[in-house]
């Protein structure tokens, strides 16, 4: 479902040139939950951003379903992004909107038959935060903000979810509930998930674990020695 | 060294009233490293903010060394804060300053005999980021930004370090190095550390572990059953 081939991303600014990803090839089957692990700075966020068309690869190609993600125009990238759920490592909630309005933001471009606010409240309940629906993000703890970001990423019932360290600010019980939720959506809807994580307990619950080091894919549980 | 007695903090905004801390009493001896654990939303950040005079308790008292933290005027709070190292859960790096200038910011009010930039570079090296000294924070990965925030908190050689989930965005090897650094500063300088963490492996390396739940202190390894 997700096919990355020979993907590289080099950040050049002034005199420094950082190789964030180096010739990464990865195929993820539809409806699987894949953990991307690796040291700080190894390229996890960069990989997710490229697959989500938040950024463009310098070389290589990325295919998601029928879409050639790496070949899209700016406008096509924006259209594609609306179909993908993205949980950012830094959350990026809108400070002036209430929690429930933040969750509903991805629904705004659509005329829908259902009640947007009701669906947003449903998702907030799924992440344990329905009682904070009217709060501003600044009034929430770090882990609560992270969960709002997760609810927002799921509101469009995306077929692909890219989650950048979605449990990094959560205690293990809450983190377990969140992973339960993602696995349940894989089972019921066939949602494909790529999640970057530093938590080995989270990685252990995924269908597959791939590892990055200095921008290179260095291990893959699919091909691990038995 | 840190004495909190009957500390409560209630957030009231409009119709909602959230009890973030409820009658918390805690004594931390000088030169010890204490982990504060607990579910998302249990009050860890609030406790650290109160001890660091970033916020004022609604009741109870907080003493740090000779200072009655809970009784300070606004100006005295600002003076006191300069003596404490604080690693924020959301980092709060200044986007327009380079990494090394960010680390050196707490030194700005002081005329010093030493080279501020050299000391900042030393700390960056201690967290593995000396080669990114001139980068802007936005050009760093999440875990790299977190480490810059840690270096900044240590630049004034504080006697008290308040670290809010300092390894939340780090892989376990890098996280281990950071905790090594904090324990080394405890040993060499007698630095007192209170760190909020969701990572049981981090908590296990601390001298003591206390747990919060719904704003109340519910366990303390110092008084744990044997
Ligand atoms: N400014 C505020 N206004 C209203 N409620 C607040 C405010 N700041 C924090 N809270 C609430 O107080 C409670 C404790 O928050 P705190 O940030 O201390 O939790 P925490 O233990 O650090 O959580 P996490 O592990 O998710 O970071 C939470 O329910 C939070 O939503
Ligand atoms: N805009 C940028 N300009 C320059 N370098 C960048 C930029 N964005 C990321 N990098 C660098 O690319 C490398 C990979 O970054 P990335 O954010 O993908 O790492 P990561 O694996 O997500 O790390 P972490 O676990 O710390 O979040 C890092 O060395 C980072 O500093
Ligand atoms: Mg990252
Ligand atoms: Mg917190």
């Amino acid at each position: 479902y997700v096919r990355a081939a020979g993907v590289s991303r080099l950040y050049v600014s002034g005199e420094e040139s950082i190789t964030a990803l180096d010739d990464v090839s990865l195929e993820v089957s539809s409806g699987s939950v894949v953990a991307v692990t690796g040291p700080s700075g190894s390229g996890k966020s960069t990989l997710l951003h490229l697959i989500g068309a938040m950024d463009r690869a310098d070389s290589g190609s990325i295919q998601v379903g029928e879409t050639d993600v790496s070949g899209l125009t700016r406008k096509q990238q924006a259209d594609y992004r609306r179909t993908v759920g993205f949980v950012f490592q830094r959350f990026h909630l809108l400070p002036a909107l209430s929690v429930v309005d933040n969750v509903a933001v991805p629904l705004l471009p659509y005329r829908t038959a259902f009640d947007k606010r009701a669906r947003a409240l449903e998702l907030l309940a799924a992440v344990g935060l329905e009682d904070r629906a009217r709060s501003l993000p600044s009034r929430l703890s770090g882990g609560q903000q992270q969960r709002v970001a997760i609810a927002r990423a799921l509101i469009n019932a995306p077929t692909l979810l890219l989650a950048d360290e979605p449990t990094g600010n959560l205690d293990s019980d809450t983190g377990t509930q969140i992973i339960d939720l993602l696995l349940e959506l894989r089972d019921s809807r066939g949602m494909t998930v790529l999640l970057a994580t530093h938590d080995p307990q989270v990685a252990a619950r995924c269908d597959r674990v791939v590892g990055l080091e200095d921008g290179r894919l260095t291990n893959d549980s699919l091909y691990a020695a038995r």
Side-chain angles (χ1 to χ4, degrees), chain A residues 4-15:
Chain A
V7 171
S8 294
R9 179 74 174 97
L10 202 69
Y11 291 113
V12 186
S13 72
E15 1 160 317

Side-chain angles (χ1 to χ4, degrees), chain A residues 11 18 20 39-46 89 165 198:
Chain A
Y11 291 113
I18 308 271
S40 174
S42 54
K44 305 178 294 299
S45 295
T46 302
Q89 192 166 0
E165 303 193 29
H198 284 308

Side-chain angles (χ1 to χ4, degrees), chain A residues 36 47 67 74-75 90 116 125 150 174 176 181 188 200 207 215 217:
Chain A
V36 182
L47 180 62
T67 311
R74 277 205 175 284
K75 160 125 198 4
R90 307 305 306 281
K116 294 178 184 182
I150 291 163
T174 312
T176 297
L181 175 61
S188 61
D207 301 320
L217 222 48

Side-chain angles (χ1 to χ4, degrees), chain A residues 192-208:
Chain A
T192 307
V193 182
L194 254 109
L195 62 90
T197 185
H198 284 308
D199 189 336
Q201 300 190 350
V202 167
R205 299 188 65 198
C206 296
D207 301 320
R208 177 182 174 197

Side-chain angles (χ1 to χ4, degrees), chain A residues 76-107:
Chain A
Q76 288 168 334
Q77 277 182 325
D79 292 339
Y80 164 75
R81 280 199 296 267
R82 258 181 237 123
T83 70
V84 176
F86 207 114
V87 184
F88 296 93
Q89 192 166 0
R90 307 305 306 281
F91 319 158
H92 297 318
L93 299 177
L94 296 168
L97 295 188
S98 69
V99 159
V100 63
D101 287 350
N102 257 286
V103 175
V105 154
L107 292 175

